[in-house]
Amino acid sequence: MNNQTDLIEYLLRLGDSALIQGQRLCQWCGKAPALEEELALMNVGLDLVGQARNWLDYAAELLDDGRDADHLAFRRDERAYRNLLLVEQPNGDYAVTILKQFLYDAWHLQVLSGLSQSSDERIAGIAAKAVKEVTYHLRRSSEWVERLGDGTEESHKRMLAAIPEVWRFTVELTSADDSEQRLCDAGITPDAAQVAAAWQAKVSEIFASATLPAPAAPSYFYLNARRGLHTEHLGILLAEMQFLPRAYPDATW
Amino acid sequence: MYAQLVETGVKRIKDLSEMSDQERAFQEKIDSEIKIEAKNWMPDAYRQTLIRQISQHAHSEIVGMLPEGNWVTRAPSLKRKLQLMAKIQDEAGHGLYLYSAMETLGADRDEEIAKLHNGKAKYSSIFNYPTLNWADMGAVGWLVDGAAIVNQVVLQRTSYGPYSRAMVRICKEESFHQRQGYEILLTMMRHGNQAQKDMVQDAINRLWWPSLMMFGPSDEHSPNSAQSMAWKIKRQSNDELRQRFIDQTIPQLELLGCTCPDPDLKWNADTGHYNFGEIQWSEFYEVLKGNGPCNQERVATRRKAIEDGAWVREAAVTHARKKQNKNAA
């Protein structure tokens, strides 16, 4: 393994997570609880798919095997996808959607802030732009966790029910593998332990103000999206998302 | 047009001599192109007609997200997905502008939306047609937004100030969507394979007539138009706008290399316009009555969104109240 291979893997992880989270938000189109939320969900999704394109463009350049960002997005199978398990989980009710978004945003902002200081200029540039967007995402999702957690009896109950549904997948947010450690040592990516600590602090803060109990640290989990071991949800999501480019592989759109 | 059939409740237009002083002052203002603003006196029928028209327009933006939402998860490239998401976001924004404009007339957003959900309020018939292939995303942008623009450009001069200003803002974004929609089709026709070209023609075949229906009934069957025109809510007749749309769209259709599903379409050198075939008015009225291909699904989806989201909105209200109490304490 060299830095180049590590870097490509890392870019896929960032890009795939943003893309899959964006795809999940697309599924809310026309079904949100208020018009303002229609607007916000599509706005956040748009930011994320835009970021995904930037990361995948860069990954494709480094791969230099003739594939472009679209090829990476629409022709890789689930075993080659590198997104966080958290973001591929179904939308569920609004409590699940908001909690997923918040846990991802809180992590994402820490990662991007670190990446905006990367020794890789291209990464630093993409991250600096994305930080502005994700700052907004996190503000919004934090406020919704508080509204729902500290809202009505029912909304509180639904938030409590959402936690066990998604919390176990956060184990991926708080750990690093060897490949990520090497990138960190090279000054390209932020330190995973610092990201994890800052993420945990943000989650504790918002959960407390939302009157939600702080869950115990997530424990070992068999699945591992870094190695393409996903839940059963991703395959179906990709079947839908990739249908056209797969059905017409020679087509230009 | 996003508001095809708007009742004015007026059987016969009064001339100036029959009007009260207030009515006459109002009509003279209209006649001299002075915009009516929210706090100005206006005839009740003018107010009610505008509430109906603007709410229909707003509902159309919101229901109009659904046929596109059907493909946003399946857009074939990242660029197309981003374009479609941006467009849907704009439509939600247009809905919000329009509901705000409507609220300046004293109407309540939630009440008007409830009318949509119980079938009492209309939205554009076009959104009751299904989107069946990717080219529909191009054809909706080009034809449907194109028809909406022809109508909305004129509505920028509508007599009610808040509606007119909403139209100015909306038109800028709509023109952008229309060009993007056309570009989707052009790309498929110029660089696509046979299957893609077939999709484009198929989309046009299915959406051509429904797009023409967006302008509403023909002038002779449009009893409410005369009053709307006298109030300068409407500035041009349904048939005039429809003709303008056809005249400007056929050259674009030819540039695509596609055909029009109208055997009677023919250039008329004497009039300088295209002659075109008879619209299926029975289909139009069935769709307006709720018997179109997707009427039930569209309304059910919107109703479910609002019903399923009730607990979320209640939580937001309750939380805001708690916060307010805390700040006051």
Side-chain angles (χ1 to χ4, degrees):
Chain A
M1 286 268 223
N2 56 30
N3 266 350
Q4 180 91 339
T5 317
D6 291 334
L7 189 53
I8 292 167
E9 268 296 306
Y10 189 77
L11 290 168
L12 291 177
R13 288 171 191 177
L14 285 172
D16 290 351
S17 291
L19 178 59
I20 299 303
Q21 179 70 7
Q23 178 74 1
R24 283 293 183 211
L25 293 176
C26 285
Q27 294 175 335
W28 270 105
C29 177
K31 305 183 173 87
L35 288 183
E36 290 80 355
E37 289 304 291
E38 295 284 356
L39 202 69
L41 292 166
M42 213 43 76
N43 190 319
V44 171
L46 186 63
D47 288 344
L48 291 173
V49 176
Q51 292 171 21
R53 184 164 68 165
N54 291 336
W55 297 127
L56 295 180
D57 272 338
Y58 189 23
E61 277 175 44
L62 296 177
L63 278 165
D64 194 25
D65 59 4
R67 289 186 291 174
D68 61 8
D70 278 334
H71 206 291
L72 291 175
F74 294 100
R75 310 287 179 90
R76 269 181 305 145
D77 289 341
E78 58 181 289
R79 293 287 281 113
Y81 251 78
R82 295 290 183 257
N83 62 279
L84 296 163
L85 297 169
L86 176 70
V87 300
E88 75 195 36
Q89 299 313 305
N91 284 331
D93 67 5
Y94 219 56
V96 171
T97 287
I98 288 296
L99 188 59
K100 274 199 301 173
Q101 186 75 46
F102 166 68
L103 295 171
Y104 174 62
D105 292 343
W107 172 84
H108 202 194
L109 185 61
Q110 288 304 322
V111 170
L112 290 171
S113 304
L115 290 176
S116 66
Q117 310 297 318
S118 175
S119 61
D120 182 309
E121 276 181 27
R122 177 81 173 270
I123 287 184
I126 297 172
K129 182 171 176 287
V131 158
K132 292 179 199 152
E133 296 169 342
V134 174
T135 301
Y136 158 73
H137 303 173
L138 177 60
R139 194 177 75 203
R140 173 180 175 274
S141 59
S142 301
E143 287 172 0
W144 269 113
V145 170
E146 290 168 347
R147 278 187 202 112
L148 298 181
D150 187 22
T152 60
E153 209 173 302
E154 180 177 9
S155 71
H156 184 77
K157 211 168 68 188
R158 283 180 186 252
M159 284 304 282
L160 289 181
I163 295 171
E165 280 200 43
V166 297
W167 183 256
R168 59 206 162 118
F169 299 109
T170 62
V171 70
E172 287 190 311
L173 307 179
T174 52
S175 59
D177 65 2
D178 292 344
S179 163
E180 285 170 357
Q181 192 53 53
R182 284 192 294 272
L183 290 172
C184 174
D185 294 342
I188 296 172
T189 63
D191 178 60
Q194 280 176 20
V195 167
W199 175 81
Q200 185 61 61
K202 185 73 186 173
V203 171
S204 302
E205 175 205 329
I206 299 297
F207 272 41
S209 64
T211 69
L212 295 170
S219 56
Y220 165 82
F221 204 67
Y222 169 78
L223 298 172
N224 184 339
R226 292 183 175 100
R227 287 188 279 118
L229 287 170
H230 291 275
T231 60
E232 289 177 347
H233 302 296
L234 185 64
I236 292 165
L237 181 148
L238 292 180
E240 180 181 357
M241 188 175 86
Q242 298 180 334
F243 150 70
L244 274 172
R246 297 275 196 183
Y248 304 97
D250 65 331
T252 304
W253 304 95
Chain B
M1 151 116 85
Y2 278 2
Q4 293 156 309
L5 250 187
V6 181
E7 298 285 329
T8 56
V10 176
K11 300 227 162 28
R12 188 181 66 84
I13 302 170
K14 292 182 190 171
D15 62 41
L16 285 174
S17 68
E18 297 171 275
M19 293 179 181
S20 68
D21 290 349
Q22 245 174 347
E23 284 175 318
R24 196 176 312 120
F26 172 81
Q27 189 61 47
E28 281 167 359
K29 222 167 146 181
I30 297 269
D31 293 341
S32 48
E33 299 288 331
I34 297 168
K35 292 269 180 271
I36 307 301
E37 297 297 338
K39 288 184 173 167
N40 298 154
W41 185 87
M42 60 187 86
D44 196 49
Y46 176 86
R47 186 186 298 278
Q48 294 310 322
T49 300
L50 271 172
I51 290 172
R52 276 191 288 266
Q53 173 154 344
I54 302 174
S55 65
Q56 254 189 58
H57 199 151
H59 299 335
S60 300
E61 296 283 358
I62 302 308
V63 176
M65 294 166 66
L66 299 175
E68 290 170 334
N70 184 35
W71 280 93
V72 69
T73 56
R74 291 179 287 167
S77 72
L78 293 170
K79 176 177 140 185
R80 295 302 182 203
K81 195 190 249 331
L82 286 165
Q83 285 177 346
L84 198 54
M85 293 171 86
K87 183 177 179 202
I88 293 168
Q89 190 192 337
D90 283 348
E91 280 156 2
H94 296 172
L96 287 174
Y97 289 158
L98 288 161
Y99 284 123
S100 300
M102 181 199 77
E103 285 178 329
T104 65
L105 292 157
D108 178 78
R109 198 217 283 201
D110 293 340
E111 281 173 24
E112 296 305 315
I113 291 174
K115 286 183 197 163
L116 169 72
H117 295 170
N118 64 28
K120 285 193 181 126
K122 292 187 174 63
Y123 54 92
S124 179
S125 59
I126 190 72
F127 301 119
N128 292 311
Y129 290 84
T131 50
L132 301 177
N133 74 44
W134 169 253
D136 287 28
M137 293 304 99
V140 166
W142 171 48
L143 294 175
V144 174
D145 291 346
I149 291 165
V150 165
N151 177 57
Q152 289 173 171
V153 162
V154 190
L155 284 177
Q156 294 181 49
R157 294 189 296 114
T158 195
S159 59
Y160 188 56
Y163 192 25
S164 149
R165 291 189 288 275
M167 282 302 112
V168 173
R169 298 184 65 170
I170 289 173
C171 276
K172 285 183 196 156
E173 293 179 346
E174 293 283 12
S175 310
F176 189 67
H177 300 157
Q178 197 214 5
R179 283 200 297 277
Q180 259 175 1
Y182 191 68
E183 197 257 336
I184 287 174
L185 300 182
L186 206 57
T187 304
M188 290 174 79
M189 290 305 293
R190 294 215 168 142
H191 308 288
N193 56 33
Q194 193 54 47
Q196 290 175 287
K197 291 176 185 172
D198 292 346
M199 285 181 204
V200 175
Q201 186 63 56
D202 176 53
I204 293 170
N205 291 349
R206 283 181 287 106
L207 289 167
W208 175 255
W209 291 106
S211 300
L212 298 188
M213 293 176 195
M214 289 174 69
F215 295 94
S218 62
D219 293 350
E220 54 185 314
H221 294 108
S222 199
N224 298 292
S225 287
Q227 182 62 73
S228 277
M229 300 269 270
W231 281 330
K232 296 193 180 177
I233 294 175
K234 277 177 83 131
R235 305 295 314 230
Q236 269 172 312
S237 81
N238 295 351
D239 286 335
E240 281 171 335
L241 293 171
R242 186 167 16 243
Q243 185 69 55
R244 179 179 308 162
F245 173 72
I246 291 170
D247 289 346
Q248 76 180 38
T249 303
I250 293 300
Q252 297 166 0
L253 181 84
E254 286 167 352
L255 189 69
L256 284 175
C258 291
T259 59
C260 182
D262 178 359
D264 297 323
L265 186 94
K266 199 167 165 259
W267 175 250
N268 182 332
D270 296 335
T271 60
H273 295 293
Y274 282 93
N275 294 344
F276 58 97
E278 187 66 22
I279 289 171
Q280 292 295 312
W281 293 114
S282 56
E283 176 184 317
F284 171 74
Y285 288 109
E286 283 302 319
V287 175
L288 274 199
K289 262 196 295 186
N291 300 328
C294 300
N295 296 57
Q296 292 192 28
E297 288 82 351
R298 299 291 188 241
V299 174
T301 301
R302 290 305 308 152
R303 195 189 301 128
K304 187 172 189 311
I306 294 306
E307 284 171 4
D308 289 356
W311 69 272
V312 177
R313 297 190 303 279
E314 280 160 26
V317 170
T318 306
H319 181 76
R321 199 174 303 135
K322 282 184 186 177
K323 246 178 123 169
Q324 212 171 24
N325 292 343
K326 220 179 276 176
N327 290 343

